[in-house]
Amino acid sequence: MIASAQILVFTLFYVAIFVLALWALIDAAVRPATAFVSAGKRTKRFWLVITGVATAVSFVALPPPLGIGQLGFLALLGAVGAIVYLVDVRPAVGPYSGGRGGRGGRGGRGGTPPSRGGW
């Protein structure tokens, strides 16, 4: 009984990592390349590689009914890459992405660039 619960938790954990990495990959793919440069972040290609590798490794790490069940420790590193993208890069790139992710490319002020934080 306890072993079944452990397997279920293990499976849910790796499915969550896979979904997180896939979300980061799709989000990075739909953002324009110029938004990354405008936000002062690394290039779109860099983040597509990071999130793509994270998605592939986390897919391989899924337990046997869903995946192969190998490279589980690398899936944790992939989760770190996806989390960095979603927590740091995505909010910074959002205002420069046109109609996606917030106020749009104009910052909501009639053509002025979006403000970079502060009070």
Side-chain angles (χ1 to χ4, degrees):
M1 170 118 165
I2 291 177
S4 299
Q6 288 175 331
I7 291 171
L8 178 64
V9 169
F10 179 78
T11 303
L12 291 175
F13 179 68
Y14 281 103
V15 167
I17 290 175
F18 174 68
V19 169
L20 187 76
L22 185 62
W23 175 28
L25 176 64
I26 292 170
D27 189 79
V30 299
R31 303 286 177 175
T34 56
F36 291 85
V37 177
S38 297
K41 299 296 178 183
R42 291 212 177 228
T43 63
K44 178 177 181 171
R45 177 178 287 181
F46 175 83
W47 287 109
L48 284 175
V49 168
I50 294 294
T51 57
V53 168
T55 304
V57 169
S58 64
F59 178 75
V60 170
L62 288 172
L66 304 172
I68 299 172
Q70 300 295 316
L71 305 175
F73 64 97
L74 290 178
L76 299 176
L77 294 176
V80 170
I83 289 169
V84 167
Y85 174 81
L86 291 170
V87 172
D88 181 44
V89 178
R90 184 176 184 260
V93 171
Y96 299 98
S97 296
R100 295 209 21 99
R103 298 176 299 207
R106 297 185 311 168
R109 296 191 187 138
T112 60
S115 63
R116 299 234 2 153
W119 292 85

